[in-house]
Amino acid sequence: MGRLFDAYVMVDWSAASKPTTGANSIWVGVLARDARLKMAYSAVNPSTRLKAVEFIEGIVGKLTGRGDKVLIGFDFSFGYPAGTADALGLDTSNEPPWAAMHALLAGKLKDKPDNSNSRFAVAAGFNYRISKGPFPFWGVPARDEVSTLATKKGDFAANGLPEYRAVEAYARAEKKAQPKSVWQLAYTGSVGSQMLLGIPHVRTLRGSLPDARIWPFETGFRALDETALDGVQVVLAEIYPSMVTAEPEGGEPPDAAQVRTIARHYWGLDEKERLGAAFGPPQDWAEAKIPQIEREEGWILGV
């Protein structure tokens, strides 16, 4: 059968509010064939999110232009816990909850060339729509705390939305990884701000790249093979680089080492014809939960 993909573009995203490079910034790793048809790795460190998306569009356009199938991975969640779209009052009569949420975020979150953004204000507004108080989004510096957005976590046990998506609950229970809640916006390991500022760009890339699909929303939460990817040139997927151990080389920052390592990890699985199965649920997964994964929550590739 051979590999499903010819190139692997892995992205370590950032919610920085000003241009930055080096540690704790955006890293884009590209593993693809070079002029000698050998797999070669390279990385770039864009200073802003807009520059990162411009680079990704350019490199993926070149790769697909020569006929490559490309896997793009972003290290933030693509969906929210089941029930979020309803809690926000979104119209899902003509589109699934995940698409309604992506459209909402694209309309609310606008990156500026200097990386400044309004993510805390947007999260506070969402909290007002959902609970009229500081729930479910949480985690901001004290200077940004308002009546509808607090520094500390609210009481999820007493409210209607779960703290974790199914994938985070599963990964934690099985000790595969320790992903944070999508609602947490700040502090160590948090992913909430990256989501707010990343999902709009995923939506943009989905529309600008040729024959692109977002997994698992548009592919199904199932193992993929050549037949399933017929006519598809680009798959965008959620990744969790910390699942694999990364050893920095030559003084590279940890984030840079992680995108390099996860790119080679997926390539290695693909070489062994094992990557396709990673797009489906775990063997012990309850089928009854698959619809919520496909319609709203999403999943981490390889968990």
Side-chain angles (χ1 to χ4, degrees), residues 101-150:
M101 194 68 191
H102 282 209
L104 175 67
L105 292 176
K108 295 286 187 180
L109 273 299
K110 302 294 183 184
D111 265 320
K112 296 180 181 179
D114 65 354
N115 243 20
S116 61
N117 59 81
S118 59
R119 68 186 186 276
F120 292 145
V122 169
F126 288 168
N127 276 354
Y128 181 80
R129 289 171 64 169
I130 292 172
S131 69
K132 301 298 187 291
F135 178 87
F137 288 98
W138 68 277
V140 292
R143 66 178 182 274
D144 294 303
E145 189 169 21
V146 294
S147 62
T148 55
L149 188 60

Side-chain angles (χ1 to χ4, degrees), residues 70-289:
V70 184
L71 173 65
I72 305 177
F74 283 92
D75 71 333
F76 54 79
S77 310
F78 283 8
Y80 287 87
T84 300
D86 283 344
L88 282 165
L90 301 186
D91 181 3
T92 57
S93 58
N94 295 314
E95 61 183 350
W98 74 265
M101 194 68 191
H102 282 209
L104 175 67
L105 292 176
K108 295 286 187 180
L109 273 299
K110 302 294 183 184
D111 265 320
K112 296 180 181 179
D114 65 354
N115 243 20
S116 61
N117 59 81
S118 59
R119 68 186 186 276
F120 292 145
V122 169
F126 288 168
N127 276 354
Y128 181 80
R129 289 171 64 169
I130 292 172
S131 69
K132 301 298 187 291
F135 178 87
F137 288 98
W138 68 277
V140 292
R143 66 178 182 274
D144 294 303
E145 189 169 21
V146 294
S147 62
T148 55
L149 188 60
T151 60
K152 295 183 179 180
K153 180 172 62 174
D155 185 0
F156 281 88
N159 291 279
L161 288 171
E163 183 175 2
Y164 297 105
R165 297 180 300 162
V167 65
E168 285 121 18
Y170 176 82
R172 285 169 164 267
E174 297 295 320
K175 295 182 171 53
K176 292 176 176 286
Q178 289 292 312
K180 298 287 187 179
S181 167
V182 298
W183 306 118
Q184 184 178 342
L185 300 177
Y187 316 129
T188 303
S190 61
V191 72
S193 286
Q194 287 91 324
M195 284 181 67
L196 291 174
L197 295 167
I199 286 175
H201 292 300
V202 167
R203 188 172 188 267
T204 295
L205 289 168
R206 164 64 178 84
S208 65
L209 296 174
D211 299 315
R213 301 290 185 274
I214 300 176
W215 172 81
F217 303 131
E218 298 180 299
T219 64
F221 188 32
R222 60 193 176 94
L224 298 182
D225 55 22
E226 291 178 342
T227 300
L229 293 177
D230 185 34
V232 177
Q233 283 194 277
V234 178
V235 173
L236 298 111
E238 174 186 341
I239 63 173
Y240 191 78
S242 297
M243 288 194 311
V244 296
T245 302
E247 296 292 341
E249 297 177 351
E252 65 182 347
D255 292 343
Q258 285 191 329
V259 292
R260 172 179 52 78
T261 304
I262 198 70
R264 293 192 176 278
H265 171 70
Y266 290 132
W267 171 53
L269 290 178
D270 215 359
E271 283 281 287
K272 298 173 184 176
E273 299 186 1
R274 291 167 49 195
L275 183 58
F279 288 95
Q283 290 184 351
D284 57 347
W285 187 249
E287 289 191 11
K289 290 190 176 183

